[in-house]
Amino acid sequence: MKMQTNFLYALTLFLTASFGMLHAQNNNVNTEFGVKGGFNMSNLYSNDADDENILYGFNAGLYATLPISDFIAIQPEILFTTKGSKLDYNNAFASGNTKFKLSYIEVPLLVRVNITKNFNVHAGGYASYLVSSKVSGEGDFNFNQDIDTDDLNKFDAGLSAGVGVDFNPLSVGLRYNYGLTTIGKERTVLGTTYTFPDAKNSNLTLYLSYKLN
């Protein structure tokens, strides 16, 4: 019990000192409008297994930073972003890979905290709308086929968290998106209900932004 009390006391002191430092640094965050884009590393995960293969893609769009205090801001964005997964296979019959590509219009809404004037952490959520989907293959089997988006869940939502470094007018950052919505639709066939594909999006983004104002 004494150890827990000491830990809570030390944690309280640390948090008090940290917020005191933040308040002492005026205007750590300012109103911004800009453009951004980046490099995506995506895969899918499910309750049964994780997809460890990475599908590379991109994102691009607009952002705004709207301060609500000297160091906290709300940051809405609107992005075009690609997600999906990649499957590699190599057996006695064939070798190659299959890529499942999903393209979304995505709207993140984040709370941004500037620890210093040049370093921020941000977290929040996102909502996405599926605009296109396709599957392609390379290797012993080559194909490229569009998938009807009506066969998939058009809406995706999840959690976002990341860090950023500001150089004014450029910023770089790293963000992870954790999907909470299954990308496949629920179907009933011969009395059996299933979801296919029964998986959710997982996406790591390295981004670069440019402040316009």
Side-chain angles (χ1 to χ4, degrees), residues 15-57:
L15 291 175
T16 302
S18 298
F19 279 102
M21 290 175 62
L22 287 171
H23 279 293
Q25 301 178 31
N26 293 327
N27 297 324
N28 273 1
V29 60
N30 298 300
T31 301
E32 294 182 15
F33 301 95
V35 295
K36 63 180 305 184
F39 177 66
N40 287 350
M41 292 165 280
S42 304
N43 58 21
L44 300 176
Y45 75 95
S46 68
N47 294 329
D48 298 326
D50 291 335
D51 171 19
E52 297 181 354
N53 295 298
I54 294 175
L55 179 68
Y56 297 104

Side-chain angles (χ1 to χ4, degrees), residues 5-197:
T5 302
N6 289 338
F7 173 76
L8 291 174
Y9 180 69
L11 179 61
T12 301
L13 285 178
F14 173 77
L15 291 175
T16 302
S18 298
F19 279 102
M21 290 175 62
L22 287 171
H23 279 293
Q25 301 178 31
N26 293 327
N27 297 324
N28 273 1
V29 60
N30 298 300
T31 301
E32 294 182 15
F33 301 95
V35 295
K36 63 180 305 184
F39 177 66
N40 287 350
M41 292 165 280
S42 304
N43 58 21
L44 300 176
Y45 75 95
S46 68
N47 294 329
D48 298 326
D50 291 335
D51 171 19
E52 297 181 354
N53 295 298
I54 294 175
L55 179 68
Y56 297 104
F58 72 95
N59 66 87
L62 306 171
Y63 78 95
T65 303
L66 309 173
I68 58 176
S69 78
D70 291 339
F71 60 94
I72 299 177
I74 302 299
Q75 183 163 305
E77 302 176 359
I78 181 167
L79 307 169
F80 177 85
T81 186
T82 62
K83 300 181 181 181
S85 67
K86 176 183 176 183
L87 172 65
D88 293 317
Y89 57 90
N90 187 2
N91 53 51
F93 303 100
S95 63
N97 65 71
T98 300
K99 297 177 181 178
F100 180 49
K101 302 176 182 178
L102 304 169
S103 298
Y104 292 92
I105 298 296
E106 185 166 285
V107 181
L109 183 60
L110 309 165
V111 176
R112 168 173 163 166
V113 179
N114 272 52
I115 305 300
T116 70
K117 197 171 184 65
N118 302 105
F119 177 76
N120 73 79
V121 295
H122 51 269
Y126 73 87
S128 300
Y129 182 78
L130 181 66
V131 293
S132 70
S133 56
K134 65 173 56 180
V135 60
S136 63
E138 296 177 350
D140 291 337
F141 301 101
N142 294 301
F143 57 92
N144 193 346
Q145 181 178 351
D146 290 333
I147 300 174
D148 190 343
T149 56
D150 289 335
D151 293 334
L152 301 172
N153 194 344
K154 289 189 176 181
F155 291 95
D156 182 34
L159 304 176
S160 299
V163 296
V165 180
D166 305 315
F167 299 104
N168 194 19
L170 293 175
S171 300
V172 295
L174 189 68
R175 180 183 302 167
Y176 178 66
N177 289 341
Y178 181 79
L180 299 177
T181 304
T182 304
I183 63 174
K185 282 185 174 180
E186 189 176 86
R187 296 175 172 84
T188 300
V189 178
L190 299 176
T192 301
T193 300
Y194 68 97
T195 301
F196 181 80

